[in-house]
Amino acid sequence: DAKTTQPPSMDCAEGRAANLPCNHSTISGNEYVYWYRQIHSQGPQYIIHGLKNNETNEMASLIITEDRKSSTLILPHATLRDTAVYYCIVRVATWRDDKIIFGKGTRLHILP
Amino acid sequence: NAGVTQTPKFRVLKTGQSMTLLCAQDMNHEYMYWYRQDPGMGLRLIHYSVGEGTTAKGEVPDGYNVSRLKKQNFLLGLESAAPSQTSVYFCASSYLLTAAPTDTQYFGPGTRLTVL
């Protein structure tokens, strides 16, 4: 079972910041938070990941709460091309077992 | 550098037929994965491999077999297809996890399989 909980859908106006929440209350100390997105009919695309510090890259920012039980993916200036399903995943990076479980994700609609 | 490729892109089978889906990656990745995605669902892990000659079961392995004879290829087999296996199948690969935390999964374009 997925270890994360996300809202099934969200809307965001074009040009505004899109804030996608994720709950992972049972996260372990050695588990990372990863975000992927899937644009219609394509394979998932990596966005960002983090352990406990906030992270930023050219696509997005990831804010992880101090207790690590939840996180927020921020797309700073959403465009129509950001319409996709966004998956929040927690995973352990070990060499022996790399099962990655996707949940149902959040369907983000960017409104013109 | 083609990344992750999948063959075929589309396939229609009759119940009971068998087939093999091929995934190939040219990034020298150690890890490879097969997922299925049904309408309105997230991706569910079928099988995965942590290196050449090794495979392991994922979340929904029943009805599928896999082989990783070469590092760059990961094959998914359906011995006796059933309508419940109608789905979109995605393959992915990633670096050896000792390269973490910067490793990510790279996905192929998917194979749409219909079982009648």
Side-chain angles (χ1 to χ4, degrees):
Chain A
D1 290 335
K3 298 176 67 173
T4 60
T5 304
Q6 299 176 251
S9 67
M10 293 182 63
D11 293 337
C12 178
E14 188 178 18
R16 305 296 291 269
N19 296 277
L20 291 88
C22 179
N23 287 323
H24 30 80
S25 59
T26 61
I27 192 170
S28 302
N30 60 348
E31 288 183 312
Y32 289 78
V33 180
Y34 277 73
W35 283 84
Y36 284 78
R37 73 180 182 183
Q38 187 176 23
I39 296 170
H40 182 63
S41 298
Q42 298 180 21
Q45 176 191 24
Y46 166 79
I47 301 173
I48 198 168
H49 74 281
L51 183 62
K52 53 185 176 181
N53 297 322
N54 298 338
E55 303 287 344
T56 296
N57 63 20
E58 64 278 3
M59 289 183 69
S61 295
L62 175 60
I63 308 299
I64 303 174
T65 57
E66 193 168 341
D67 63 8
R68 302 208 323 123
K69 293 185 176 182
S70 65
S71 61
T72 301
L73 177 75
I74 301 172
L75 307 177
H77 302 289
T79 71
L80 296 177
R81 286 180 292 183
D82 292 321
T83 293
V85 178
Y86 287 77
Y87 296 99
C88 170
I89 299 154
V90 296
R91 59 177 283 212
V92 177
T94 66
W95 68 270
R96 187 177 292 276
D97 183 349
D98 189 26
K99 290 191 290 185
I100 301 176
I101 308 297
F102 286 74
K104 294 185 179 181
T106 295
R107 186 172 295 277
L108 177 65
H109 300 276
I110 304 301
L111 307 174
Chain B
N1 189 326
V4 179
T5 58
Q6 293 182 231
T7 308
K9 289 184 170 56
F10 303 93
R11 186 71 186 267
V12 178
L13 291 178
K14 294 181 180 178
T15 297
Q17 287 185 316
S18 63
M19 79 162 294
T20 300
L21 281 66
L22 170 64
C23 176
Q25 52 93 6
D26 61 2
M27 297 173 283
N28 201 34
H29 286 173
E30 290 289 338
Y31 288 74
M32 296 188 75
Y33 318 79
W34 276 106
Y35 294 88
R36 62 176 286 174
Q37 186 174 35
D38 302 308
M41 302 284 288
L43 281 78
R44 292 186 291 171
L45 182 64
I46 304 172
H47 287 278
Y48 64 103
S49 167
V50 300
E52 182 178 321
T54 71
T55 63
K57 293 181 180 180
E59 195 182 358
V60 288
D62 294 341
Y64 305 95
N65 57 77
V66 288
S67 63
R68 184 97 181 269
L69 299 179
K70 293 183 179 180
K71 185 177 182 179
Q72 63 268 33
N73 295 335
F74 195 29
L75 280 67
L76 177 71
L78 286 72
E79 293 180 345
S80 179
S84 61
Q85 293 178 304
T86 293
S87 189
V88 180
Y89 292 85
F90 288 100
C91 175
S93 69
S94 67
Y95 293 110
L96 182 64
L97 276 180
T98 54
T102 59
D103 71 300
T104 66
Q105 282 190 325
Y106 296 84
F107 283 81
T111 295
R112 292 187 176 275
L113 176 66
T114 302
V115 183
L116 302 176

